[in-house]
Amino acid sequence: PRSDCIAAEQLCLLDSTCNATYRVLENCALAKTRFLPLDHDSRVRCLNAELDLGNSSLLHCKCHRRMKRQEHCLRIFWTVHSSVTDGYFNLETSPYENPANEEHWKTDYNKLAALLSGKDCSQLAGDATNPCLKATHVCNLSKKCVRLRTDYASICTKGAGSEDMCDRRKCHRGLRNFFEKVPEDFTKRILFCPCQDELCGERRRKTIVPDCSFQYNTKPNCLWLLDSCLEDHICKSRLADFQQNCQPADMSPDGCSQHNHAACLQAYMGMIGTPMTPNYVSNSSIEVSLWCTCESSGNQKEKCDQILGMFESNKCL
């Protein structure tokens, strides 16, 4: 059975042979993190160490999106799979356990929504025409949802749009907290609410406080965005999960090679709160994009377009 990587690491460290192999892989991963070029012999040694793990539980371990010490777990995964990250687009191995294998949280969304519809309708004018507003009102009835939403909103709006820049790192952490800890029934309805007008669309686009979490003063190059993502264990993991679950397929009815549109939406939500945070492009569109450009990409233009295309023209997403 697949174990989580923290438990697998503890077992490995108790075994002298596995321990020695793991130490080699730690050095390989460290060199990659620091962008130190490895000579041919070092690369072979790293690859052999990975092969030496054979059927070790470390080689097959996974992490959970909602687990404690998630960053530590992901660091272990990428230490063991450091050779996977050789190219920009060799990240199809997700460190996360399949959502179907994770415990589904029983939520009280429908119960709260029913409670809400029983209230005085004059208080909630606009709910019928603005599903985003309704989803927010339902969130306000859940202690956890409203607390974590208020947390990130207050961090992300502090200094946004003024001369004092907002603290983007804290804002991203608050967003990740919200999307990881609040049951998906709430988060999906807030983020993917179906809008018929621009007022609703604006509310949906501003769900993640884009002035802080999404937009810079000028659009950076998408390759720079990718590099900053690959240096961060959480972002790299979410990107791998996104690539695995949102891989488009022309012949598939839902456009997804994994035939699991829900898993793709979950992976998309996982990207929010990372250096590669996506968002809706406007108040009147359901198209999403990264905040980056491929101008001045030189001979890497094709690679850059590919990064942008994962979000802008992805049939699965």
Side-chain angles (χ1 to χ4, degrees), residues 20 24 62 75 102 106 110 118 141 152-153 167 172 197 203 215 219 221 224 251 254 263 271 280 290 303-304 312:
V24 172
K62 292 277 184 178
R75 183 185 60 74
E102 290 190 357
K106 288 184 170 59
N110 291 333
L141 295 179
Y152 84 72
D167 191 329
H172 280 167
D197 59 53
R203 189 173 192 95
Q215 291 168 208
K219 281 189 176 182
N221 186 282
W224 176 83
M251 303 306 287
D254 61 1
M271 295 301 300
Y280 295 97
L290 296 172
K303 196 181 285 180
C304 186
E312 284 190 346

Side-chain angles (χ1 to χ4, degrees), residues 76-243:
I76 297 164
F77 179 89
W78 291 115
T79 296
V80 175
H81 295 276
S82 59
S83 66
V84 173
T85 58
D86 271 348
Y88 276 111
F89 293 98
N90 292 344
L91 283 180
E92 281 91 5
T93 305
S94 171
Y96 289 111
E97 187 61 84
N98 186 318
N101 300 343
E102 290 190 357
E103 184 189 341
H104 279 290
W105 290 24
K106 288 184 170 59
T107 72
D108 49 2
Y109 186 93
N110 291 333
K111 205 186 294 175
L112 292 176
L115 190 68
L116 189 69
S117 60
K119 288 194 172 191
D120 178 7
C121 289
S122 61
Q123 274 181 276
L124 306 169
D127 264 10
T129 55
N130 193 335
C132 292
L133 192 60
K134 182 177 182 182
T136 306
H137 282 143
V138 178
C139 172
N140 290 343
L141 295 179
S142 159
K143 280 183 186 171
K144 179 177 264 189
C145 189
V146 73
R147 176 172 58 81
L148 291 171
R149 190 170 162 273
T150 306
D151 281 356
Y152 84 72
S154 61
I155 297 165
C156 300
T157 47
K158 203 176 285 179
S162 71
E163 286 181 18
D164 306 326
M165 283 299 288
C166 68
D167 191 329
R168 182 173 279 113
R169 192 182 287 264
K170 276 188 178 173
C171 173
H172 280 167
R173 197 183 305 130
L175 278 165
R176 289 202 309 272
N177 247 346
F178 176 73
F179 284 106
E180 278 175 24
K181 293 181 179 174
V182 174
E184 273 179 33
D185 254 13
F186 292 90
T187 54
K188 273 188 175 171
R189 286 171 205 250
I190 287 174
L191 191 66
F192 303 127
C193 38
C195 289
Q196 303 298 321
D197 59 53
E198 289 203 15
L199 199 67
C200 175
E202 182 181 22
R203 189 173 192 95
R204 180 173 62 189
R205 196 177 64 81
K206 289 190 171 174
T207 295
I208 66 163
V209 197
D211 286 352
C212 185
S213 69
F214 176 67
Q215 291 168 208
Y216 295 75
N217 291 334
T218 53
K219 281 189 176 182
N221 186 282
C222 299
L223 293 164
W224 176 83
L225 215 58
L226 179 67
D227 282 342
S228 58
C229 180
L230 295 179
E231 287 172 29
D232 177 290
H233 281 124
I234 284 188
C235 189
K236 180 162 71 170
S237 302
R238 303 296 170 84
L239 181 61
D241 197 50
F242 179 80
Q243 282 192 299

Side-chain angles (χ1 to χ4, degrees), residues 247-294:
Q247 198 69 251
D250 289 337
M251 303 306 287
S252 172
D254 61 1
C256 304
S257 63
Q258 299 280 326
H259 312 298
N260 191 341
H261 193 240
C264 175
L265 291 184
Q266 185 185 47
Y268 171 85
M269 287 197 296
M271 295 301 300
I272 295 171
T274 70
M276 282 180 78
T277 293
N279 197 22
Y280 295 97
V281 294
S282 74
N283 297 343
S284 55
S285 168
I286 57 161
E287 284 179 38
V288 295
S289 181
L290 296 172
W291 182 261
C292 64
T293 177
C294 283

